[in-house]
Amino acid sequence: EVQLLESGGGLVQPGGSLRLSCVASGFTFSTYAMTWVRQAPGKGLEWVSAISGDGAYIYYADSVKGRFTLSRDNSRNTLYLQMNSLRAEDTAAYYCAKNLRDGAAAYEYWGQGTLVNVCS
Amino acid sequence: ENVLTQSPGTLSLSPGERATLSCRASQSLSSSYLAWYQQRPGQAPRFLIYGATSRATGVPDRFSGSGSGTDFTLTISRVEPEDFAVYYCQQYGSSPITFGQGTRLEIK
């Protein structure tokens, strides 16, 4: 059974930093691209960042480029999102998702999400 | 950026009725790289459809996807009580990945 477990969310002041983690199980982690998608309170879904299975290719939304850094540790089956210079508009539930397959960035499995609240 | 516009914003139906949800893309999607998701309150999105027409594993066959180019449809043949939720379309044919704003399916 595929499981994705996010952690690391919380309350942070504007300008602060957080690191989100997503521990994966139930599939061969290193062979799948992974993605973060966020959802502001009461709003729709927004793609944030994605990384290839080997970590060689990383992509960011313009809204987070230069502030967020995505990485993965395939030996630990873990995905990380380092979030710096946080803004109020980054407040959201952050979901870790497993891509369907290489070249198909549809999201087959999702974690339950971790909440990030940027507030002074 | 390929903007996805979903309609209607809210769809009010009774259980047993047919639901038709629309997703229109501002640019034609290559290879029908369109997916649909269901999100119930307080839950993560659930993967329903990919490649515009293929059902994900475990998705009941009352859910079906159709369309190509810029116009896509999610159809629920007979709505069940557990289907009342928000539905999102998503394109993955071009960067950046984009989602529609969602259609809320509510009980009439």
Side-chain angles (χ1 to χ4, degrees):
Chain A
E1 179 193 5
V2 172
Q3 291 192 328
L4 300 171
L5 184 61
E6 303 99 333
S7 62
L11 177 63
V12 62
Q13 292 186 335
S17 298
L18 281 175
R19 187 175 84 156
L20 306 185
S21 299
C22 171
V23 177
S25 61
F27 64 102
T28 305
F29 183 68
S30 62
T31 63
Y32 286 90
M34 298 292 293
T35 297
W36 288 95
V37 175
R38 69 184 181 183
Q39 186 171 36
K43 302 297 184 182
L45 302 171
E46 180 189 13
W47 175 82
V48 174
S49 185
I51 186 168
S52 60
D54 62 2
Y57 300 95
I58 304 175
Y59 309 91
Y60 299 97
D62 286 347
S63 57
V64 307
K65 200 173 294 182
R67 300 187 299 122
F68 290 11
T69 302
L70 182 58
S71 61
R72 64 191 296 160
D73 184 341
N74 287 343
S75 68
R76 297 177 182 270
N77 286 359
T78 303
L79 182 71
Y80 302 101
L81 185 66
Q82 178 67 43
M83 304 188 298
N84 298 330
S85 303
L86 282 162
R87 306 167 179 167
E89 55 264 35
D90 296 318
T91 293
Y94 284 73
Y95 295 101
C96 162
K98 171 188 172 292
N99 287 35
L100 179 62
R101 57 177 177 266
D102 269 358
Y107 309 124
E108 187 179 17
Y109 292 98
W110 298 64
Q112 282 305 299
T114 186
L115 296 178
V116 172
N117 187 0
V118 184
C119 178
S120 55
Chain B
E1 173 175 319
N2 200 342
V3 176
L4 301 183
T5 302
Q6 292 186 242
S7 60
T10 302
L11 183 58
S12 300
L13 294 173
S14 300
E17 291 192 292
R18 182 183 185 89
T20 303
L21 287 68
S22 174
C23 176
R24 177 164 289 179
S26 62
Q27 305 164 32
S28 183
L29 292 187
S30 58
S31 303
S32 295
Y33 283 154
L34 187 104
W36 289 93
Y37 302 87
Q38 175 195 69
Q39 189 176 34
R40 298 181 178 126
Q43 295 188 14
R46 173 194 178 195
F47 186 45
L48 295 178
I49 300 285
Y50 64 97
T53 62
S54 299
R55 263 189 307 276
T57 303
V59 174
D61 61 7
R62 65 180 181 272
F63 290 90
S64 63
S66 63
S68 63
T70 60
D71 290 302
F72 299 88
T73 300
L74 175 69
T75 301
I76 309 172
S77 58
R78 292 174 57 88
V79 177
E80 297 286 340
E82 62 268 27
D83 299 337
F84 292 98
V86 179
Y87 291 83
Y88 294 96
C89 59
Q90 174 228 344
Q91 69 80 21
Y92 51 102
S94 63
S95 181
I97 304 295
T98 50
F99 291 88
Q101 82 280 15
T103 289
R104 180 179 304 277
L105 177 59
E106 65 174 26
I107 300 175
K108 187 174 181 180

